[in-house]
Each structure stands twice: as structure tokens, then as C-alpha cells.
Amino acid sequence: MKLHACFYLLAAVIALIYGCKKDEPDEPNVSYEDIKPVKDYVYFQLGTYWIYEDNYGNVDSMYVYSAGEGIDTVRKSNGDIEGIYRFFQSKIHSVYDDYNYYIGYNSGWTSFHPTRHQVFMTKTKPGDYVGQIILMEYPPVIGNILYGEKNSIVKIENYYQIYNIGLVNYVSVIKMSNSIDIINNDQRTNYLIAKNVGIIQEELVDSNNVWKVIRYNIIQ
């Protein structure tokens, strides 16, 4: 009888241990459908290019030279899965300043309740890493504030159903502001980002200069 009692006690302890063990994730923390609206704004494939012009007549040609997306599994030091995340990134080259701009997303930076997705932009070239900023947050909640490098304040300033540049109307445009934009010499900068087009206007506030898109070819 004592042997049977010990056996049942051991079985109960094992069941309790496994019952309390936290299940490891086996799916990404966001679905493809969750991030599709984000990709519509900032993810572009090879063959995509934009032509911009500033207030002084300078022209910049920017083109996508690499793009990719996937699922990343992050593990703890003991080998257990810490999280499974979705990511995507477009790498863009600027002919004007000869820098590369990486625009990317990783769901490891997504917060929940409510769900908030962040998109980052990095400026770099061989031998010179300039830095990274928060480019955009989605969904756009006007007035929402984030904090970036050098304690910069990144804010969703506005959302336009239609925004006009010249004779072209862009739809679903998010306006983001950055109080200390490290990829633009720490000056105040506004970015206007249109659905299915990307950055359509960059306002360098302290320089009193604005870059506007004048032509583009989009492949998503």
C-alpha cells in the first residue's frame, strides 16, 4: 500500500510541475494579417524607386536594392524559445548623399492592448553608421508620443485621408514629427508617409527645406 501511495504522490508532483510549466510559443506573436497594413506603407520590392526635389532644385533618386521578410525565432541562453517574431525590411540607396536607408519592422517591438507597431529607419554606409530613428507608428493615433535616440520626441502629428502634392493626390497619409532627428543632423524633421507609396515629403524644419516626391515607381 505504501508503495502505491508513493507512486501516486510522485505522479501528482510530476503532473503539477508540467502543469505549471509555461507553454513555449509555436507561432509568431502577430499574424500576417496584423502587419499587412504596416507593409502597405513602408515595404517595397526591387524595382521600386522615388525621385525627390527640394526647395533649392536639388534632385535625389532613391531606389530599393534589397528587400526581404520572414520569421525570426529568438532563444534564451538555455535554448528555450523566448519569442517568434515577424520581420521585413527594404534597403534603399540615395544617389544624392550616397547613403543607404534601411526601413524595417520587427514584431518584437510591437506592443499590445492596444496593438502598436513601430517602423524604424537606419542611415548608414560602409564606414559610417549614422543612426536609427522611429519612422512611423501604426495605427496612427494623432497626438501619440514615442521616445527615440537622444530623448527625441516622435509624435503622430496628423492623418490625412487625402494629401495633395502638386497635381497628385495621395491617400491615407501619416505625418510623423521628430524633435531630434539623428539621421538629419539632429534637427526637427517631419515625415509624410503615404499608403502604397512610402515617404512622399520630408520637411527639414531647422533648415527651412522640404523634399517632395515628384516621380516614383512602386513594386510591393
Side-chain angles (χ1 to χ4, degrees):
M1 291 294 293
K2 290 183 179 180
L3 183 61
H4 285 290
C6 290
F7 173 78
Y8 288 124
L9 179 60
L10 179 61
V13 171
I14 293 173
L16 179 63
I17 292 172
Y18 278 90
C20 293
K21 185 179 180 181
K22 185 178 180 181
D23 292 336
E24 291 184 345
D26 55 6
E27 293 290 338
N29 66 332
V30 298
S31 69
Y32 178 82
E33 289 72 22
D34 289 332
I35 66 170
K36 177 61 169 64
V38 186
K39 293 175 68 178
D40 287 344
Y41 278 89
V42 292
Y43 184 55
F44 303 97
Q45 303 282 357
L46 287 170
T48 299
Y49 67 81
W50 304 264
I51 308 296
Y52 298 92
E53 186 174 7
D54 74 355
N55 291 353
Y56 304 100
N58 297 308
V59 175
D60 188 10
S61 174
M62 302 187 74
Y63 61 90
V64 175
Y65 67 90
S66 177
E69 61 182 312
I71 296 175
D72 184 27
T73 300
V74 177
R75 295 185 179 274
K76 302 176 183 177
S77 58
N78 63 1
D80 291 344
I81 296 175
E82 181 175 303
I84 303 177
Y85 308 111
R86 293 186 184 274
F87 69 88
F88 61 79
Q89 184 182 71
S90 294
K91 294 183 177 183
I92 301 163
H93 184 71
S94 165
V95 174
Y96 179 77
D97 65 12
D98 198 30
Y99 275 88
N100 299 321
Y101 294 82
Y102 303 162
I103 298 180
Y105 163 87
N106 188 303
S107 63
W109 288 99
T110 294
S111 59
F112 299 94
H113 311 297
T115 300
R116 314 291 298 165
H117 302 289
Q118 293 182 33
V119 176
F120 295 85
M121 180 161 68
T122 303
K123 181 179 180 179
T124 185
K125 69 178 180 180
D128 187 12
Y129 174 84
V130 179
Q132 182 183 81
I133 65 168
I134 301 171
L135 174 65
M136 189 187 80
E137 186 179 52
Y138 188 91
V141 177
I142 296 174
N144 199 52
I145 291 176
L146 300 166
Y147 297 94
E149 296 292 330
K150 296 187 176 181
N151 295 316
S152 61
I153 297 173
V154 181
K155 184 179 179 182
I156 301 175
E157 293 287 348
N158 216 329
Y159 175 80
Y160 307 93
Q161 292 185 349
I162 298 178
Y163 189 87
N164 176 266
I165 296 180
L167 300 177
V168 181
N169 291 326
Y170 298 92
V171 299
S172 303
V173 176
I174 300 172
K175 182 177 181 179
M176 303 290 303
S177 66
N178 193 322
S179 64
I180 307 174
D181 186 347
I182 62 174
I183 69 174
N184 274 306
N185 298 315
D186 291 347
Q187 66 180 303
R188 292 174 295 162
T189 308
N190 298 323
Y191 294 91
L192 281 84
I193 309 154
K195 183 178 180 180
N196 301 125
V197 181
I199 298 172
I200 58 171
Q201 188 164 296
E202 182 182 56
E203 302 171 354
L204 306 177
V205 179
D206 299 330
S207 299
N208 194 29
N209 193 18
V210 178
W211 289 89
K212 297 181 180 181
V213 69
I214 58 175
R215 192 166 68 254
Y216 56 85
N217 181 65
I218 303 298
I219 299 177
Q220 291 189 296

